[in-house]
Structure formats: C-alpha cells, structure tokens
Amino acid sequence: MRLKTLILGAAASASLGVLALAAPAAAQSLTAITGGRVLTGTSVIENGTVVIQNGRVVSVGSGAAPSGARVIDARGKTVTPGLVAVDAVLAVSEVGSVSGTGDSSNNANSISASFDVSYGLDPWSITLPVARLGGITRAVVTPSHSGGGDGHDHQDDSDFAGVGEGGLQSPGLFAGQAAIIDLGQGGEILVKPRVAMVAPFGEAGAGIAGGARGAEFVQFKETLAEVRLYARNRAAYDRAGLRDLSLSRADLEALIPVAEGRMPLIVTARRAADIRQVLRLAREEGLKIILDGAEEGWLIADEIAAAQVPVLLDVLNNLPSNFEMRAARMQNAAVLNAAGVVIAIKGSDGGGRVREMRYNAGNAVSHGLPYAAAIQAITVNPARIFGMGGQFGELRPGAAADVVVWSGDPLEPLTIAEAVFIDGQEQPMTSRQFLLRDRYARPGTLPPAYNR
C-alpha cells in the first residue's frame, strides 16, 4: 500500500508539470533549416536547406534560405525526417504494471477484430514527450493480444489459451485494428484509424486455436469464408442464425476489408516454417499481409521478397529464446534488405523504449545493413508499408513538415535531437522526467550533459 501511494503521489505531482509544459511554437509562415547534412530518407544533401511553411515541406535542396524566413543554423548537424515508430503502444499504455493505464488490449469475447485502438488514445500521455525527444514524430499504434505487454509482438504464449462463452474464442484470432498518430503536442494526434488488422500465428496462434498450428490455419480460413458469406448477403446471414454461433456483427464488419485484400493484416510469425505457411495462406486467400517479427526470415528471404511482403523487425532478437527462434541472428535485417524485402526497424518495446529504434538501426548497420537502408527503415519505409508514402517520413515538397535537427549522426547513441518539428510546429524539448529532474535535483549536482 505504501509503495502504491508513493507511485500515485509521484505521478500526481509530475502531472502538474506536464500540464505546465510550454505549448509548441506556432508554425511560422516560413522557416528554413540551413547548412546541415540533410538525410531526406531517400538521398543525402550536404550543406542542405529545408524550407517549411504552413505545416508542409516547401523545398529541399542546397540553395540559400528564402528572404524573410526564420533561419535555423544546422551547420555541423544532421537533419532528417521525423522517425516513424511501428508496433507501438504510445498514447494507449502508460505503465505496464498498472492495468488501469492500458488501453492496448481487450478481453471481451464478443469483440476481437473490431477492437479499435484509436478510441483509447490519450494526447496527454507521458509517453509521447519521451518518444518525441528521441526524434519520433509519427507512430503506428497496434493493439496488443490479450494478456498485456508493451506490444503485440512480446507476449507469453500462455496468454492465448482458453475459449470464451458461447463458443467464441477469447481473446480470438485477432487483436484488433491499428491506428497512425502524430506526436505533436496540443492538438488531435489521430492521423488515420483502422490502418491494419493484427493477428498472431506460430506458437501464439496455435495456443488460441487449441494447441496446434494446423488448427489455427483451418479456423482462420473458416473465419474468412464466414466473413465473405456475410458480406455477400447480410440479411440472409442473420436469418440463418449463423451470427449466434460465431463472430459478432462488429467483428464481421471489421474483417470485410481484410478478406477483400484492402486492409493489411499484421501477422506475428517468427519461425521460417510458419512464415512460409503464412505466405501460402496469403496467396490462397488473396490477403495483403505485413510480417511482424520474422526472426528466421533470413532463411527464406527470397520467398518473402517474391511475395512483396514487408517486415517489421526487432533486430536485437538474435538469441534462440524458444524453438521459434532457433536460427535468429543479428544479420537478419541485412539479408532481408539485400533480397529486396522492405523492412521497418522497431524500438526495443512499444512504449518507453520505442525511442531506441534508432539505436537498433545502428546495430543493424554494424551487422551488414547499409546505412541508407537503416535510415529508410525508420523513416520512409514505415510510412510506405502503411499506405502513407510521400505524406510523412520523408523530406520532400508537399510532405508533412516533420523535421528533426540532430547534434550528430542519428544512429549514434550519444547524439540528441536538438529541435523537433511536427506539422511545422516546433515542439518543446522536455518531458516528465526532465521536469522531475529539475524539481528535485539539488543545484550544482548535475553534470553539464544533463542541462539540456
């Protein structure tokens, strides 16, 4: 009880500081970031100039700043698009050990595929400033499989056992629907809801279906058949009484775009054999899929590339912690990229450590991934994978003015973000942690590096 009181008291005192954070500077009519090494996401411009206006990138090149523009001197620094996090729980999960702060998973046996994570977003979440200080300006927020955790790719298989009342699977074959957010302070953070459906395969999926991988595939195909039957004739479906035996109407409606190949399905699969079967399922059912995990993907990289299936990677998963990851290795990202697979590199979890995505990208470079490909894997590629190519994640005319000025190489751990713009608005470079530091640290006790 005493520990709980201390935690709640600290959170309450810090919340006053969060409310007191300075509002982001209003987007000026014209701002030019000049003199830096500009990584556009697809190219490199030395001594470059990025011009933004009214929330959009106006131009990217090597010319001088336009007359009348506010000029930000980036000489000796690196300028990039804002980083785009995938497999995140930002704004829907605060503290993993406090269940009341989490809105990323759902236990209801009548709602699985229809679970829409966008309705639980909290624009005042204390996780957002921390991620923003790490250069992240957009994120794909994905629902977690029932049982908790900071991301749907970090679950214990025991969380998926059990069947709910009425014959409905609990938590079901699907975790729900993902959403894209921006991390700008002071406004609506939802960019686009329902951008993808999430489903586990491999050991986790087998646990849902009764213990065997084959059972999940059969059940999954039956679900798709049921969805298509419902989509062809909703009234006849209801008269037949099938709705009382299987999926809720909300779940059926949510799965129609998946069954029709319009909404991508994020599939968690680690073992090469499981990935191969998921690719087969996608071919047979006409599904648009995104692989998540794929620790053994390098074994069948050519097959993944031929299927034109992108992969969301935690590049640090390089040890055989279970039988699904016997062939995990640090070169996974490099091999997949060399084969032509579009990859996106994740953070070390979906919440507090999501900002480590750039460190992970640096680790991938040290194990063979080309530097340019690593930058793309945390900027351009995530946007393209989720149907937002050209809209953000890249410095190009017309794209959202999400820009980060770094003190040095963004893949180096000691580099910091010195300025962050989201939709052209300069963001405050502080967080709850910094406010607590400033409140409780004794004057003169902090080293100069902490005085940002």
Side-chain angles (χ1 to χ4, degrees), residues 309-351:
V309 171
V311 179
L312 314 181
L313 290 173
D314 182 347
V315 299
L316 298 187
N317 275 353
N318 68 319
L319 296 175
S321 58
N322 57 46
F323 281 96
E324 290 189 299
M325 298 168 55
R326 291 170 298 182
R329 58 186 295 208
M330 287 289 287
Q331 291 79 10
N332 193 24
V335 176
L336 289 169
N337 177 75
V341 178
V342 177
I343 63 171
I345 293 177
K346 305 193 293 185
S348 297
D349 66 17

Coordinates of all heavy atoms in Angstrom, one line a residue, residues 309-351:
V309 N 6.1 -8.9 -49.5 CA 5.6 -8.7 -48.1 C 6.6 -8.0 -47.3 O 7.8 -8.4 -47.2 CB 5.3 -10.1 -47.5 CG1 5.0 -10.0 -46.0 CG2 4.2 -10.8 -48.3
P310 N 6.3 -6.8 -46.7 CA 7.2 -6.1 -45.9 C 7.3 -6.8 -44.5 O 6.5 -7.6 -44.1 CB 6.6 -4.7 -45.8 CG 5.1 -5.0 -46.0 CD 5.0 -6.1 -46.9
V311 N 8.4 -6.4 -43.7 CA 8.6 -7.0 -42.4 C 8.9 -5.9 -41.4 O 9.7 -5.0 -41.7 CB 9.8 -8.0 -42.5 CG1 10.1 -8.6 -41.2 CG2 9.6 -9.1 -43.5
L312 N 8.3 -6.1 -40.2 CA 8.6 -5.2 -39.1 C 9.6 -6.0 -38.2 O 9.3 -7.1 -37.7 CB 7.4 -4.9 -38.3 CG 6.1 -4.4 -39.1 CD1 5.0 -4.1 -38.2 CD2 6.5 -3.2 -40.0
L313 N 10.8 -5.4 -37.9 CA 11.8 -6.2 -37.3 C 12.3 -5.6 -35.9 O 12.4 -4.4 -35.8 CB 13.1 -6.2 -38.2 CG 13.1 -7.0 -39.5 CD1 14.3 -6.7 -40.2 CD2 12.9 -8.5 -39.2
D314 N 12.5 -6.5 -35.0 CA 13.3 -6.1 -33.8 C 14.6 -6.8 -34.0 O 14.8 -8.0 -33.8 CB 12.6 -6.7 -32.5 CG 13.4 -6.3 -31.3 OD1 14.6 -5.8 -31.4 OD2 12.9 -6.5 -30.1
V315 N 15.6 -6.0 -34.5 CA 16.9 -6.5 -34.9 C 17.7 -7.1 -33.8 O 18.7 -7.8 -34.0 CB 17.7 -5.4 -35.7 CG1 16.9 -5.0 -36.9 CG2 18.0 -4.3 -34.8
L316 N 17.3 -6.8 -32.6 CA 18.1 -7.3 -31.4 C 17.7 -8.7 -31.0 O 18.3 -9.3 -30.1 CB 18.0 -6.3 -30.2 CG 18.6 -4.9 -30.5 CD1 18.6 -4.1 -29.2 CD2 20.0 -5.0 -31.1
N317 N 16.6 -9.2 -31.6 CA 16.2 -10.6 -31.3 C 17.1 -11.5 -32.0 O 16.8 -12.0 -33.1 CB 14.7 -10.8 -31.7 CG 13.7 -10.3 -30.7 OD1 14.1 -10.0 -29.6 ND2 12.5 -10.3 -31.0
N318 N 18.2 -11.8 -31.4 CA 19.2 -12.6 -32.1 C 19.6 -13.9 -31.3 O 20.6 -14.5 -31.6 CB 20.5 -11.8 -32.3 CG 21.2 -11.4 -31.0 OD1 20.6 -11.1 -30.0 ND2 22.5 -11.5 -31.0
L319 N 18.8 -14.2 -30.3 CA 19.1 -15.4 -29.5 C 18.0 -16.4 -29.5 O 16.8 -15.9 -29.6 CB 19.4 -15.0 -28.0 CG 20.7 -14.2 -27.8 CD1 20.8 -13.8 -26.3 CD2 22.0 -14.9 -28.3
P320 N 18.2 -17.7 -29.6 CA 17.1 -18.7 -29.6 C 16.5 -18.8 -28.3 O 16.6 -19.9 -27.6 CB 17.9 -19.9 -30.1 CG 19.3 -19.8 -29.6 CD 19.6 -18.3 -29.7
S321 N 15.7 -17.9 -27.9 CA 15.0 -17.9 -26.6 C 13.9 -19.0 -26.6 O 13.4 -19.3 -25.5 CB 14.4 -16.6 -26.2 OG 13.5 -16.1 -27.2
N322 N 13.4 -19.4 -27.7 CA 12.5 -20.5 -27.8 C 12.7 -21.3 -29.1 O 13.5 -20.9 -29.9 CB 11.0 -20.0 -27.6 CG 10.7 -18.9 -28.7 OD1 11.0 -19.1 -29.9 ND2 10.1 -17.8 -28.2
F323 N 11.8 -22.3 -29.4 CA 12.0 -23.1 -30.6 C 11.6 -22.4 -31.8 O 11.8 -22.9 -32.9 CB 11.3 -24.4 -30.4 CG 12.1 -25.4 -29.5 CD1 11.8 -25.5 -28.2 CD2 13.1 -26.2 -30.1 CE1 12.5 -26.4 -27.4 CE2 13.8 -27.0 -29.3 CZ 13.5 -27.2 -28.0
E324 N 10.9 -21.3 -31.7 CA 10.5 -20.5 -32.9 C 11.7 -19.6 -33.4 O 11.6 -19.1 -34.5 CB 9.4 -19.6 -32.6 CG 8.1 -20.2 -32.3 CD 6.9 -19.3 -32.3 OE1 6.9 -18.4 -31.4 OE2 6.0 -19.3 -33.1
M325 N 12.7 -19.5 -32.6 CA 13.8 -18.6 -33.0 C 15.2 -19.2 -32.9 O 16.2 -18.6 -32.6 CB 13.8 -17.4 -32.0 CG 12.5 -16.6 -32.0 SD 12.4 -15.4 -30.7 CE 13.9 -14.5 -30.8
R326 N 15.2 -20.5 -33.3 CA 16.5 -21.3 -33.3 C 17.5 -20.7 -34.2 O 18.7 -20.7 -33.9 CB 16.2 -22.7 -33.6 CG 15.5 -23.5 -32.6 CD 15.0 -24.9 -33.1 NE 14.1 -24.7 -34.3 CZ 13.6 -25.8 -34.9 NH1 13.9 -27.0 -34.6 NH2 12.8 -25.6 -36.0
A327 N 17.1 -20.1 -35.3 CA 18.0 -19.5 -36.3 C 18.1 -18.0 -36.3 O 18.6 -17.4 -37.2 CB 17.6 -20.0 -37.7
A328 N 17.7 -17.4 -35.2 CA 17.7 -15.9 -35.1 C 19.2 -15.4 -35.1 O 20.1 -16.0 -34.5 CB 17.0 -15.4 -33.8
R329 N 19.4 -14.3 -35.8 CA 20.7 -13.8 -35.9 C 20.7 -12.3 -36.2 O 19.7 -11.8 -36.7 CB 21.5 -14.5 -37.0 CG 20.9 -14.4 -38.4 CD 21.6 -15.2 -39.5 NE 22.9 -14.7 -39.7 CZ 23.5 -14.9 -40.9 NH1 22.9 -15.5 -41.9 NH2 24.7 -14.4 -41.1
M330 N 21.7 -11.6 -35.9 CA 21.8 -10.1 -36.0 C 21.8 -9.7 -37.5 O 21.5 -8.5 -37.8 CB 23.0 -9.6 -35.3 CG 22.9 -9.6 -33.8 SD 21.7 -8.4 -33.1 CE 22.6 -6.9 -33.4
Q331 N 22.2 -10.6 -38.4 CA 22.3 -10.2 -39.8 C 20.9 -10.3 -40.5 O 20.8 -10.1 -41.7 CB 23.3 -11.1 -40.5 CG 24.7 -10.9 -40.1 CD 25.1 -11.5 -38.8 OE1 24.4 -12.3 -38.2 NE2 26.3 -11.2 -38.3
N332 N 19.9 -10.6 -39.8 CA 18.5 -10.8 -40.4 C 18.1 -9.6 -41.2 O 17.7 -9.7 -42.4 CB 17.5 -11.0 -39.3 CG 16.2 -11.5 -39.8 OD1 16.1 -12.1 -40.9 ND2 15.1 -11.3 -39.0
A333 N 18.3 -8.4 -40.7 CA 17.9 -7.2 -41.4 C 18.7 -7.0 -42.7 O 18.2 -6.7 -43.8 CB 18.0 -5.9 -40.5
A334 N 20.0 -7.3 -42.6 CA 20.9 -7.1 -43.8 C 20.5 -8.1 -44.9 O 20.4 -7.7 -46.1 CB 22.3 -7.3 -43.4
V335 N 20.2 -9.3 -44.5 CA 19.9 -10.4 -45.5 C 18.6 -10.1 -46.2 O 18.4 -10.2 -47.4 CB 19.9 -11.8 -44.9 CG1 19.5 -12.8 -45.9 CG2 21.3 -12.1 -44.3
L336 N 17.6 -9.7 -45.3 CA 16.3 -9.4 -45.9 C 16.3 -8.2 -46.8 O 15.8 -8.2 -47.9 CB 15.3 -9.1 -44.8 CG 14.8 -10.3 -43.9 CD1 14.1 -9.8 -42.7 CD2 14.0 -11.2 -44.8
N337 N 17.1 -7.2 -46.4 CA 17.2 -6.0 -47.3 C 17.9 -6.3 -48.6 O 17.5 -5.9 -49.7 CB 18.0 -4.9 -46.5 CG 18.2 -3.7 -47.4 OD1 17.3 -2.8 -47.6 ND2 19.5 -3.5 -47.8
A338 N 19.0 -7.1 -48.5 CA 19.7 -7.5 -49.7 C 18.8 -8.3 -50.7 O 19.0 -8.2 -51.9 CB 20.9 -8.3 -49.3
A339 N 17.9 -9.0 -50.2 CA 17.0 -9.8 -51.0 C 15.9 -8.9 -51.7 O 15.2 -9.4 -52.5 CB 16.3 -10.9 -50.2
G340 N 15.7 -7.7 -51.2 CA 14.7 -6.8 -51.7 C 13.5 -6.6 -50.9 O 12.5 -6.1 -51.3
V341 N 13.5 -7.1 -49.6 CA 12.4 -7.0 -48.7 C 12.4 -5.6 -48.1 O 13.4 -5.1 -47.7 CB 12.5 -8.1 -47.6 CG1 11.3 -7.9 -46.6 CG2 12.5 -9.5 -48.2
V342 N 11.2 -5.0 -48.1 CA 11.0 -3.7 -47.4 C 10.9 -3.9 -45.9 O 10.0 -4.6 -45.5 CB 9.8 -2.9 -47.9 CG1 9.6 -1.6 -47.2 CG2 9.9 -2.7 -49.4
I343 N 11.9 -3.4 -45.2 CA 11.9 -3.6 -43.7 C 11.6 -2.3 -43.0 O 12.0 -1.2 -43.4 CB 13.2 -4.2 -43.3 CG1 14.4 -3.3 -43.5 CG2 13.4 -5.6 -43.9 CD1 15.7 -3.7 -42.9
A344 N 11.0 -2.4 -41.8 CA 10.9 -1.3 -40.8 C 11.5 -1.8 -39.5 O 11.2 -2.9 -39.1 CB 9.5 -0.9 -40.7
I345 N 12.3 -1.0 -38.9 CA 13.0 -1.4 -37.6 C 12.3 -0.8 -36.5 O 12.0 0.4 -36.4 CB 14.5 -0.9 -37.7 CG1 15.2 -1.7 -38.7 CG2 15.1 -1.1 -36.3 CD1 16.7 -1.3 -38.9
K346 N 12.0 -1.7 -35.5 CA 11.2 -1.3 -34.3 C 12.1 -0.9 -33.2 O 13.3 -1.0 -33.2 CB 10.3 -2.5 -33.8 CG 9.5 -3.1 -34.9 CD 8.5 -4.1 -34.3 CE 9.1 -5.3 -33.8 NZ 8.1 -6.3 -33.3
G347 N 11.4 -0.3 -32.2 CA 12.1 0.0 -30.9 C 12.2 -1.2 -30.1 O 11.8 -2.3 -30.4
S348 N 12.8 -1.1 -28.9 CA 13.0 -2.2 -28.0 C 11.8 -2.7 -27.3 O 11.8 -3.7 -26.7 CB 14.2 -1.9 -27.0 OG 15.4 -1.7 -27.7
D349 N 10.8 -1.8 -27.3 CA 9.4 -2.2 -26.9 C 8.5 -1.2 -27.6 O 8.9 -0.4 -28.4 CB 9.2 -2.3 -25.4 CG 9.3 -1.0 -24.7 OD1 9.2 0.0 -25.3 OD2 9.5 -1.0 -23.4
G350 N 7.2 -1.3 -27.3 CA 6.3 -0.4 -28.0 C 6.0 0.9 -27.2 O 5.3 1.8 -27.7
G351 N 6.6 1.0 -26.0 CA 6.3 2.2 -25.2 C 7.5 3.0 -24.8 O 8.0 3.8 -25.6

